[in-house]
Amino acid sequence: MKGKLFVLSGPSGVGKNTILNRVIAASDHVRYSVSATSRQSRPGEVDGSSYYFVTRERFEEMIAQDELLEYAEYVGNYYGTPLAPIREAMKNGFDVVMDVEVIGAKKIKARVPDAVLVFVAASSMDAVRQRLIARGDVSPEAMEERLKRAVWECSQAEDYDYIVLNDDVEQAVRELRAIMVAEKCKTVERIHLLKEEF
Ligand code: 5GP
């Protein structure tokens, strides 16, 4: 059976990566879509597993050659989703999870209507700010830009299929897993199993 796409968005610092890492580690049928970006790598990030770090020129070549499912600019850098690995994973029955900002997520929904959009939020923006400060991997100016963007992103959450609250990471992981299970149990996903019988 073909896999499904789960697209996570949410403010920088809300903890999307932690949630995704936990969900991926707990399942052998979920794959992470590694994005391409023109931003510089941060300490600890690994080329090819955190992101594919590419130049702006190479990124523009990927756009021109239609290699991306979607792309967007986010605080001065390109970010985009390579199409081929997703196609391959889904064809082989894997569900694919990805971390994509709001504009890219909407582009994916337009292109793949049965993609599931999940917005990760925290009930206090102050908690997000504190996490971003604690992470300490962006400059104060970049952080302000990310926080401004975060406020706008939260205003777009009503276009998402689900909202996961990350006030407690264990609960957020449970919520995302529940969404993934429920989506796989939808009638439209399973009815063919019964049709083979009657
Ligand atoms: P960061 O620089 O903190 O890793 O990511 C910045 C933003 O880029 C995050 O909101 C993340 O969701 C988004 N992002 C990461 N990969 C992609 C992608 O492939 N496409 C789009 N549109 N956004 C992405």
Side-chain angles (χ1 to χ4, degrees), residues 16 35 39 42 51 70 74 79-81 99-101 146:
K16 288 162 289 177
S35 297
R39 86 149 158 75
R42 297 186 196 126
Y51 279 105
E70 63 70 41
Y74 175 92
Y79 293 81
T81 308
D99 171 357
V100 167
E101 54 63 67
R146 279 167 181 259

